Amino acid sequence: MTHTDGTEVGTEAPAERRPPQEVPRPKGLGPFGWLRWAWRQLTTMRTALILLFLVALGAVPGSVLPQRGEAPERVAQYFTDHKTAAPILDKMSMFDVFAAPWFAAIYILLFVSLAGCVIPRAGKHLQAMRARPPAAPRNLARLPQAETYETERGADEVLAEARKVLKRRRFRVDAADGSVAAEKGYLGETGNLVFHLALLVLLFALGMGNSFGYRGNVLLTEGKTFANALNNYDQFKPGRQFDTDELAPFTLSLDRFHAEYQTKGDKRGQAVDFSAKVRFKAGPSSPDRPFDLKVNHPLKVDGTKVYLLGHGYAPQFTVRDAKGNIAFQDTVPFLPMEQRNLTSEGVVKAPDADPQQLAFYAILWPSAVASKDGKQIESAFPAALRPVVSISSFTGDIGLDSGVPQSVYQLPALKDGKLKPLKGGQKLLEPGETFKLPGNAGSITFDGLKEWTSLSVNHDPGRIPALIAAILAVAGVATSFLVRRRRVWVRARAGEGGRTVVEVGGLTLGNPTPEFDEIVAALRGGQADASGPAPATESKE
């Protein structure tokens, strides 16, 4: 006779001399096991809170540093002022925070984490709302709120009265085994879930707006008109799913820009109010409509919002060449060199001048005064009280014919030597004055001063859903704080002398409430149930 392993019975070695059997090693989690583990970690509320904190932390640079989508001129100024730090920050996308890959990764992970955490929790909450209230504990006297009394009424009568009193207070009631169980306050948990679901919808709406919307910046000078077309934008950022053919066909004209400043005290020169008098057409055949565009008071037209961002000065020049022909006549936007008194700089390019192209670098002082040492000129106030322009003249090749695009605010040909400064070509001009260039090279006239404003054109289809989600989130979190879960149990049993012993126990999430005492008083019959219907916030459990 043999064992199943082939050894004969009675021939195997004693137990103490047998080699230890190998215990099978536990198998690893495997790829699917690790995926399940990662999903469980990602969909915990702790991870969602960490990701929410990272989103808030990542948005800080977007609030502190200038962003290209909002103020490209301020980004350029930041590069000028911080030549070492700006390139490093730019590599980390600190000037395009909300379009950065790392911010998008955190955003998507937060969305997935909330969805995986909240949606299953909502299903469990729905099941709990439809379930029967928990049965009465064995010893009601151990509950935080408890009361025992005797009555002449029968047990069935007491329990029937308990059901009536509790239903009148909007409790869900269940009766079994000589007791009544009641529960309400699920609206608090519902509000908590509404808050998290609304946060999920808010994230989705923001993502939808970034995908199907667009944002563009345009600089508009007084007297100019902007048509909502792609080639008229100074900067344009469409969403990935946005079709540029869907741009709303409106036009916008800037009639006048007005700024008010403090004239006295320590805050002298500080801006008090900005307003732009504009006219707009919703379509080619629509009538002109006036609008007073202000900060935080955007123009809404055909699902698009136009915001007022910044402002500056645009001197108007007339440039004549050596033959006396007009080579340039227009306003030129100048960029502020400092914000306090709006000392600004800009360039004037006249590529059509004959026989040589002309270019000018200019500095504008809106309210020109002599400096304290009397050797320089400075601006004493941001308003145009006494505008003065200093002109530096150049001749040569501006570089526009090369086909390489260049900034309207710079003269890159100066670096490669294609533009040469005119000897004696510097001059201070006030409005109406003309400077004749040396060597009969031409002339430049400072015709006057206008103002420009930078506008942000924003189309966001997720704006309304985001607003609704934000309102629901506030309502949900307020409800979760105001409504608390409450449970009440009533047990009736026969006592001595034919009397009925009634035990009432209550359990409230948080501190006890006076409602329990009112319920006990109503059951005793000592006073009417004076509470009436439940508050509106607790009407749906």
Side-chain angles (χ1 to χ4, degrees):
M1 184 176 181
T2 59
H3 289 293
T4 55
D5 59 357
T7 60
E8 295 184 4
V9 176
T11 62
E12 66 271 12
E16 62 273 9
R17 297 178 59 187
R18 296 177 193 170
Q21 295 183 356
E22 292 186 2
V23 179
R25 296 181 179 180
K27 296 182 179 180
L29 291 177
F32 293 103
W34 282 110
L35 285 176
R36 284 194 300 268
W37 178 85
W39 174 255
R40 289 171 183 170
Q41 297 301 314
L42 179 61
T43 55
T44 60
M45 187 57 67
R46 177 184 58 190
T47 303
L49 290 174
I50 293 174
L51 291 171
L52 188 61
F53 172 76
L54 290 178
V55 168
L57 188 64
V60 171
S63 303
V64 175
L65 298 173
Q67 300 294 295
R68 287 192 174 91
E70 301 290 341
E73 67 278 1
R74 292 180 58 194
V75 175
Q77 185 63 39
Y78 193 92
F79 270 81
T80 303
D81 298 339
H82 305 83
K83 296 182 179 179
T84 302
I88 299 175
L89 294 174
D90 194 28
K91 288 182 180 180
M92 295 186 292
S93 303
M94 290 301 173
F95 302 110
D96 298 281
V97 169
F98 303 107
W102 56 266
F103 190 84
I106 299 174
Y107 185 90
I108 293 173
L109 284 174
L110 175 60
F111 185 87
V112 174
S113 178
L114 281 175
C117 179
V118 175
I119 293 177
R121 182 178 161 194
K124 293 180 180 178
H125 177 63
L126 181 61
Q127 293 178 359
M129 290 179 64
R130 301 175 61 183
R132 298 171 59 185
R138 181 177 300 177
N139 191 350
L140 294 179
R142 293 182 177 180
L143 295 176
Q145 291 178 292
E147 186 79 23
T148 302
Y149 66 92
E150 295 183 359
T151 180
E152 298 290 343
R153 294 180 295 175
D156 293 339
E157 185 181 354
V158 170
L159 296 178
E161 181 65 19
R163 289 195 296 268
K164 185 187 300 184
V165 170
L166 293 170
K167 285 182 178 180
R168 189 160 56 242
R169 289 180 170 270
R170 307 294 176 85
F171 279 84
R172 294 189 303 115
V173 180
D174 182 53
D177 299 331
S179 65
V180 171
E183 185 177 28
K184 75 173 180 179
Y186 273 103
L187 195 59
E189 177 66 14
T190 302
N192 189 285
L193 284 172
V194 167
F195 166 74
H196 288 92
L197 288 172
L199 186 60
L200 195 63
V201 174
L202 180 62
L203 292 175
F204 179 78
L206 294 176
M208 183 177 67
N210 290 332
S211 297
F212 294 93
Y214 69 87
R215 176 174 294 177
N217 291 341
V218 60
L219 187 146
L220 193 59
T221 307
E222 290 176 330
K224 302 284 186 177
T225 298
F226 164 74
N228 190 29
L230 183 60
N231 57 343
N232 292 331
Y233 279 96
D234 298 322
Q235 188 175 27
F236 187 79
K237 285 190 174 182
R240 294 185 178 181
Q241 305 299 324
F242 181 76
D243 186 357
T244 54
D245 294 335
E246 299 176 0
L247 286 170
F250 69 87
T251 57
L252 182 69
S253 301
L254 176 61
D255 293 334
R256 181 174 176 269
F257 182 87
H258 176 69
E260 293 183 9
Y261 304 95
Q262 287 277 7
T263 58
K264 298 179 181 179
D266 296 337
K267 296 183 178 179
R268 184 178 183 272
Q270 182 174 329
V272 176
D273 185 44
F274 297 127
S275 64
K277 304 291 183 181
V278 301
R279 290 174 292 108
F280 71 96
K281 283 185 175 183
S285 59
S286 302
D288 263 345
R289 297 176 59 187
F291 188 81
D292 192 5
L293 187 63
K294 292 188 175 184
V295 178
N296 297 326
H297 183 57
L299 168 66
K300 303 175 184 178
V301 51
D302 200 10
T304 302
K305 283 189 173 184
V306 181
Y307 295 88
L308 182 65
L309 293 182
H311 79 106
Y313 289 104
Q316 186 171 358
F317 297 98
T318 298
V319 179
R320 295 181 182 271
D321 59 17
K323 297 181 179 180
N325 299 322
I326 296 178
F328 177 87
Q329 189 175 37
D330 202 353
T331 55
V332 181
F334 278 27
L335 296 180
M337 301 171 64
E338 48 89 16
Q339 294 295 330
R340 181 175 179 82
N341 294 313
L342 289 182
T343 302
S344 306
E345 63 177 349
V347 298
V348 181
K349 303 176 184 180
D352 297 330
D354 191 29
Q356 284 188 312
Q357 296 181 350
L358 297 174
F360 305 88
Y361 170 75
I363 297 178
L364 167 70
W365 294 277
S367 296
V369 296
S371 60
K372 293 182 180 180
D373 57 9
K375 297 180 180 180
Q376 295 180 345
I377 298 176
E378 60 184 22
S379 181
F381 199 71
L385 302 180
R386 183 176 177 256
V388 173
V389 171
S390 72
I391 297 293
S392 299
S393 309
F394 304 88
T395 61
D397 183 9
I398 298 176
L400 295 177
D401 297 333
S402 64
V404 179
Q406 58 179 255
S407 172
V408 296
Y409 306 107
Q410 297 177 351
L411 291 173
L414 287 175
K415 297 180 179 179
D416 53 24
K418 293 182 179 180
L419 278 177
K420 302 294 183 180
L422 272 174
K423 187 176 181 179
Q426 292 79 34
K427 184 72 173 178
L428 293 177
L429 297 177
E430 294 188 16
E433 294 184 344
T434 300
F435 173 43
K436 291 185 178 181
L437 303 179
N440 293 324
S443 66
I444 180 170
T445 303
F446 180 21
D447 297 318
L449 191 63
K450 294 186 177 182
E451 296 194 54
W452 58 260
T453 180
S454 57
L455 305 175
S456 174
V457 184
N458 186 5
H459 174 67
D460 186 2
R463 178 171 50 87
I464 299 300
L467 176 62
I468 296 174
I471 294 173
L472 289 176
V474 173
V477 73
T479 303
S480 67
F481 283 121
L482 293 175
V483 181
R484 291 177 289 176
R485 183 82 64 84
R486 285 149 293 175
R487 290 174 178 172
V488 176
W489 294 275
V490 180
R491 180 182 288 123
R493 57 181 174 81
E496 297 179 356
R499 297 173 64 84
T500 300
V501 178
V502 181
E503 296 176 277
V504 186
L507 182 63
T508 302
L509 184 62
N511 297 325
T513 62
E515 185 181 31
F516 178 79
D517 297 330
E518 296 171 1
I519 292 174
V520 173
L523 293 176
R524 283 178 176 270
Q527 64 180 40
D529 187 8
S531 65
T537 57
E538 302 175 358
S539 60
K540 183 179 179 181
E541 304 299 338

